[in-house]
PDB file of all heavy atoms in Angstrom:
ATOM      1  N   ASN A 162     182.464  48.207 115.817  1.00  0.00           N
ATOM      2  CA  ASN A 162     181.215  48.536 116.499  1.00  0.00           C
ATOM      3  C   ASN A 162     180.309  49.264 115.512  1.00  0.00           C
ATOM      4  O   ASN A 162     180.540  50.433 115.200  1.00  0.00           O
ATOM      5  CB  ASN A 162     181.503  49.410 117.734  1.00  0.00           C
ATOM      6  CG  ASN A 162     180.297  49.496 118.656  1.00  0.00           C
ATOM      7  OD1 ASN A 162     179.304  48.800 118.459  1.00  0.00           O
ATOM      8  ND2 ASN A 162     180.388  50.344 119.661  1.00  0.00           N
ATOM      9  N   GLY A 165     177.649  48.492 109.472  1.00  0.00           N
ATOM     10  CA  GLY A 165     176.817  49.011 108.373  1.00  0.00           C
ATOM     11  C   GLY A 165     177.676  49.287 107.161  1.00  0.00           C
ATOM     12  O   GLY A 165     178.648  48.574 106.888  1.00  0.00           O
ATOM     13  N   THR A 166     177.343  50.344 106.426  1.00  0.00           N
ATOM     14  CA  THR A 166     178.036  50.667 105.171  1.00  0.00           C
ATOM     15  C   THR A 166     179.556  50.720 105.360  1.00  0.00           C
ATOM     16  O   THR A 166     180.309  50.079 104.622  1.00  0.00           O
ATOM     17  CB  THR A 166     177.530  52.034 104.650  1.00  0.00           C
ATOM     18  OG1 THR A 166     176.108  51.948 104.508  1.00  0.00           O
ATOM     19  CG2 THR A 166     178.159  52.395 103.325  1.00  0.00           C
ATOM     20  N   ILE A 167     180.006  51.488 106.336  1.00  0.00           N
ATOM     21  CA  ILE A 167     181.453  51.635 106.547  1.00  0.00           C
ATOM     22  C   ILE A 167     182.004  50.432 107.319  1.00  0.00           C
ATOM     23  O   ILE A 167     183.036  49.867 106.955  1.00  0.00           O
ATOM     24  CB  ILE A 167     181.749  52.957 107.301  1.00  0.00           C
ATOM     25  CG1 ILE A 167     181.251  54.178 106.499  1.00  0.00           C
ATOM     26  CG2 ILE A 167     183.252  53.085 107.599  1.00  0.00           C
ATOM     27  CD1 ILE A 167     181.875  54.367 105.130  1.00  0.00           C
ATOM     28  N   LYS A 188     176.212  44.212 115.986  1.00  0.00           N
ATOM     29  CA  LYS A 188     174.973  44.559 115.266  1.00  0.00           C
ATOM     30  C   LYS A 188     173.887  44.763 116.305  1.00  0.00           C
ATOM     31  O   LYS A 188     173.904  44.149 117.373  1.00  0.00           O
ATOM     32  CB  LYS A 188     174.544  43.416 114.336  1.00  0.00           C
ATOM     33  CG  LYS A 188     175.221  43.353 112.998  1.00  0.00           C
ATOM     34  CD  LYS A 188     175.022  44.560 112.116  1.00  0.00           C
ATOM     35  CE  LYS A 188     173.656  44.703 111.525  1.00  0.00           C
ATOM     36  NZ  LYS A 188     173.526  45.927 110.683  1.00  0.00           N
ATOM     37  N   THR A 189     172.943  45.641 115.972  1.00  0.00           N
ATOM     38  CA  THR A 189     171.835  45.873 116.914  1.00  0.00           C
ATOM     39  C   THR A 189     170.593  45.084 116.507  1.00  0.00           C
ATOM     40  O   THR A 189     169.673  44.938 117.296  1.00  0.00           O
ATOM     41  CB  THR A 189     171.476  47.379 116.981  1.00  0.00           C
ATOM     42  OG1 THR A 189     171.370  47.864 115.644  1.00  0.00           O
ATOM     43  CG2 THR A 189     172.547  48.157 117.721  1.00  0.00           C
ATOM     44  N   CYS A 239     181.913  52.413 113.935  1.00  0.00           N
ATOM     45  CA  CYS A 239     181.257  52.795 112.674  1.00  0.00           C
ATOM     46  C   CYS A 239     179.755  52.907 112.896  1.00  0.00           C
ATOM     47  O   CYS A 239     178.962  52.602 112.002  1.00  0.00           O
ATOM     48  CB  CYS A 239     181.557  51.779 111.575  1.00  0.00           C
ATOM     49  SG  CYS A 239     183.309  51.520 111.280  1.00  0.00           S
ATOM     50  N   PRO A 241     176.254  55.113 113.532  1.00  0.00           N
ATOM     51  CA  PRO A 241     175.842  56.334 112.816  1.00  0.00           C
ATOM     52  C   PRO A 241     176.375  57.596 113.491  1.00  0.00           C
ATOM     53  O   PRO A 241     176.598  57.608 114.711  1.00  0.00           O
ATOM     54  CB  PRO A 241     174.311  56.278 112.906  1.00  0.00           C
ATOM     55  CG  PRO A 241     173.978  54.844 113.146  1.00  0.00           C
ATOM     56  CD  PRO A 241     175.105  54.293 113.951  1.00  0.00           C
ATOM     57  N   GLN A 262     184.446  57.775 113.086  1.00  0.00           N
ATOM     58  CA  GLN A 262     184.336  58.188 111.686  1.00  0.00           C
ATOM     59  C   GLN A 262     183.966  59.677 111.607  1.00  0.00           C
ATOM     60  O   GLN A 262     183.755  60.341 112.622  1.00  0.00           O
ATOM     61  CB  GLN A 262     183.301  57.323 110.954  1.00  0.00           C
ATOM     62  CG  GLN A 262     183.545  55.836 111.080  1.00  0.00           C
ATOM     63  CD  GLN A 262     184.921  55.407 110.602  1.00  0.00           C
ATOM     64  OE1 GLN A 262     185.342  55.769 109.507  1.00  0.00           O
ATOM     65  NE2 GLN A 262     185.649  54.649 111.422  1.00  0.00           N
ATOM     66  N   GLY A 264     181.366  61.287 111.000  1.00  0.00           N
ATOM     67  CA  GLY A 264     180.100  61.787 111.540  1.00  0.00           C
ATOM     68  C   GLY A 264     180.227  62.322 112.953  1.00  0.00           C
ATOM     69  O   GLY A 264     179.293  62.950 113.474  1.00  0.00           O
ATOM     70  N   ARG A 322     176.113  63.375  97.044  1.00  0.00           N
ATOM     71  CA  ARG A 322     175.050  62.390  96.837  1.00  0.00           C
ATOM     72  C   ARG A 322     174.038  62.555  97.984  1.00  0.00           C
ATOM     73  O   ARG A 322     174.424  62.890  99.112  1.00  0.00           O
ATOM     74  CB  ARG A 322     175.614  60.972  96.775  1.00  0.00           C
ATOM     75  CG  ARG A 322     176.334  60.493  98.053  1.00  0.00           C
ATOM     76  CD  ARG A 322     175.382  59.795  98.989  1.00  0.00           C
ATOM     77  NE  ARG A 322     176.018  59.312 100.194  1.00  0.00           N
ATOM     78  CZ  ARG A 322     176.050  59.956 101.366  1.00  0.00           C
ATOM     79  NH1 ARG A 322     175.530  61.167 101.476  1.00  0.00           N
ATOM     80  NH2 ARG A 322     176.613  59.403 102.427  1.00  0.00           N
ATOM     81  N   ASP A 325     173.093  56.968 100.558  1.00  0.00           N
ATOM     82  CA  ASP A 325     173.800  55.792 100.042  1.00  0.00           C
ATOM     83  C   ASP A 325     172.798  54.913  99.281  1.00  0.00           C
ATOM     84  O   ASP A 325     171.582  54.987  99.523  1.00  0.00           O
ATOM     85  CB  ASP A 325     174.438  55.013 101.197  1.00  0.00           C
ATOM     86  CG  ASP A 325     175.665  55.743 101.742  1.00  0.00           C
ATOM     87  OD1 ASP A 325     176.236  56.573 100.993  1.00  0.00           O
ATOM     88  OD2 ASP A 325     176.042  55.506 102.895  1.00  0.00           O
ATOM     89  N   GLN A 453     181.688  57.693  98.233  1.00  0.00           N
ATOM     90  CA  GLN A 453     181.507  57.978  99.672  1.00  0.00           C
ATOM     91  C   GLN A 453     181.513  56.720 100.521  1.00  0.00           C
ATOM     92  O   GLN A 453     181.904  56.758 101.691  1.00  0.00           O
ATOM     93  CB  GLN A 453     180.190  58.752  99.880  1.00  0.00           C
ATOM     94  CG  GLN A 453     178.907  57.937  99.798  1.00  0.00           C
ATOM     95  CD  GLN A 453     178.441  57.665  98.374  1.00  0.00           C
ATOM     96  OE1 GLN A 453     179.020  58.180  97.421  1.00  0.00           O
ATOM     97  NE2 GLN A 453     177.387  56.872  98.203  1.00  0.00           N
TER      98      GLN A 453
HETATM   99  P1  NAD B  16     175.153  52.947 108.615  1.00  0.00           P
HETATM  100  O1  NAD B  16     173.859  53.438 109.114  1.00  0.00           O
HETATM  101  O2  NAD B  16     175.253  52.331 107.262  1.00  0.00           O
HETATM  102  O3  NAD B  16     175.749  51.880 109.641  1.00  0.00           O
HETATM  103  C1  NAD B  16     175.721  52.083 111.025  1.00  0.00           C
HETATM  104  C2  NAD B  16     175.593  50.725 111.704  1.00  0.00           C
HETATM  105  O4  NAD B  16     175.634  50.919 113.112  1.00  0.00           O
HETATM  106  C3  NAD B  16     174.282  50.020 111.395  1.00  0.00           C
HETATM  107  O5  NAD B  16     174.568  48.651 111.151  1.00  0.00           O
HETATM  108  C4  NAD B  16     173.469  50.193 112.659  1.00  0.00           C
HETATM  109  O6  NAD B  16     172.576  49.122 112.862  1.00  0.00           O
HETATM  110  C5  NAD B  16     174.560  50.170 113.711  1.00  0.00           C
HETATM  111  N1  NAD B  16     174.218  50.831 114.966  1.00  0.00           N
HETATM  112  C6  NAD B  16     173.324  51.810 115.194  1.00  0.00           C
HETATM  113  N2  NAD B  16     173.315  52.155 116.496  1.00  0.00           N
HETATM  114  C7  NAD B  16     174.240  51.366 117.099  1.00  0.00           C
HETATM  115  C8  NAD B  16     174.694  51.242 118.427  1.00  0.00           C
HETATM  116  N3  NAD B  16     174.217  52.012 119.401  1.00  0.00           N
HETATM  117  N4  NAD B  16     175.658  50.322 118.710  1.00  0.00           N
HETATM  118  C9  NAD B  16     176.162  49.526 117.726  1.00  0.00           C
HETATM  119  N5  NAD B  16     175.760  49.614 116.446  1.00  0.00           N
HETATM  120  C10 NAD B  16     174.808  50.525 116.137  1.00  0.00           C
HETATM  121  O7  NAD B  16     176.168  54.176 108.758  1.00  0.00           O
HETATM  122  P2  NAD B  16     177.490  54.435 107.917  1.00  0.00           P
HETATM  123  O8  NAD B  16     177.108  55.091 106.647  1.00  0.00           O
HETATM  124  O9  NAD B  16     178.317  53.210 107.882  1.00  0.00           O
HETATM  125  O10 NAD B  16     178.163  55.562 108.799  1.00  0.00           O
HETATM  126  C11 NAD B  16     178.953  55.254 109.930  1.00  0.00           C
HETATM  127  C12 NAD B  16     179.882  56.416 110.212  1.00  0.00           C
HETATM  128  O11 NAD B  16     180.732  56.606 109.070  1.00  0.00           O
HETATM  129  C13 NAD B  16     179.197  57.769 110.445  1.00  0.00           C
HETATM  130  O12 NAD B  16     179.977  58.522 111.340  1.00  0.00           O
HETATM  131  C14 NAD B  16     179.258  58.409 109.076  1.00  0.00           C
HETATM  132  O13 NAD B  16     179.179  59.814 109.125  1.00  0.00           O
HETATM  133  C15 NAD B  16     180.608  57.940 108.605  1.00  0.00           C
HETATM  134  N6  NAD B  16     180.792  57.928 107.147  1.00  0.00           N
HETATM  135  C16 NAD B  16     179.793  57.487 106.331  1.00  0.00           C
HETATM  136  C17 NAD B  16     179.987  57.527 104.962  1.00  0.00           C
HETATM  137  C18 NAD B  16     178.923  57.096 103.999  1.00  0.00           C
HETATM  138  O14 NAD B  16     178.837  57.652 102.928  1.00  0.00           O
HETATM  139  N7  NAD B  16     178.102  56.136 104.319  1.00  0.00           N
HETATM  140  C19 NAD B  16     181.213  57.959 104.430  1.00  0.00           C
HETATM  141  C20 NAD B  16     182.232  58.328 105.308  1.00  0.00           C
HETATM  142  C21 NAD B  16     182.006  58.325 106.666  1.00  0.00           C
END
Side-chain angles (χ1 to χ4, degrees):
N162 194 8
T166 304
I167 300 299
K188 278 299 288 179
T189 48
C239 304
Q262 307 304 310
R322 62 91 179 96
D325 286 338
Q453 76 279 354

